[in-house]
Amino acid sequence: MENAKENVLRNHCRNVDVVLGDIEVVTEGGYQVILANINRNVLTRHLSHYHSLLSDNGVLLLSGFFTFDNDEIVHKAESCGFQLQKTYEKENWSCLQFLKV
């Protein structure tokens, strides 16, 4: 958590909320970008929450899972109203970028 806050300050980012906890700690929506770095099971369970928290055309970045989980996550995200935009992979780890449609 402290590393995330330090990175926000170091990179002179504005309008960034760093939150530690489960989805229940996020009480307001209208976000333009959500980055969730958790495991596959938690991410897929929270997809509908992410959708409701994002503004129209908002970006969802999911990471913290292996590349072999991509198909399952993409399928579930698309069923919740997201469209895959980009896939990033490094050493069998994956990050998927979605657009709320």
Side-chain angles (χ1 to χ4, degrees):
M1 178 74 164
E2 288 304 314
N3 287 339
K5 289 179 181 179
E6 289 173 17
N7 284 335
V8 169
L9 293 173
R10 185 179 307 122
N11 291 292
H12 309 288
C13 296
R14 296 186 191 137
N15 300 321
V16 175
D17 295 324
V18 177
V19 180
L20 176 63
D22 208 343
I23 195 69
E24 288 81 24
V25 301
V26 183
T27 57
E28 297 181 25
Y31 292 98
Q32 295 174 352
V33 178
I34 294 176
L35 168 60
N37 181 31
I38 319 172
N39 67 56
R40 179 200 66 208
N41 294 332
V42 173
L43 292 171
T44 55
R45 189 170 58 242
H46 292 169
L47 282 167
S48 62
H49 295 289
Y50 301 143
H51 192 272
S52 67
L53 293 168
L54 277 170
S55 59
D56 291 340
N57 297 310
V59 174
L60 175 63
L61 293 162
L62 302 179
S63 63
F65 52 91
F66 296 108
T67 55
F68 57 76
D69 292 321
N70 285 1
D71 289 343
E72 178 183 347
I73 294 172
V74 169
H75 176 73
K76 290 183 179 184
E78 288 174 344
S79 71
C80 288
F82 290 103
Q83 181 180 44
L84 180 65
Q85 298 293 296
K86 293 182 183 177
T87 301
Y88 306 92
E89 297 178 357
K90 183 176 182 180
E91 299 175 2
N92 294 323
W93 290 97
S94 192
C95 176
L96 301 176
Q97 179 179 327
F98 294 95
L99 180 69
K100 178 182 175 177
V101 291

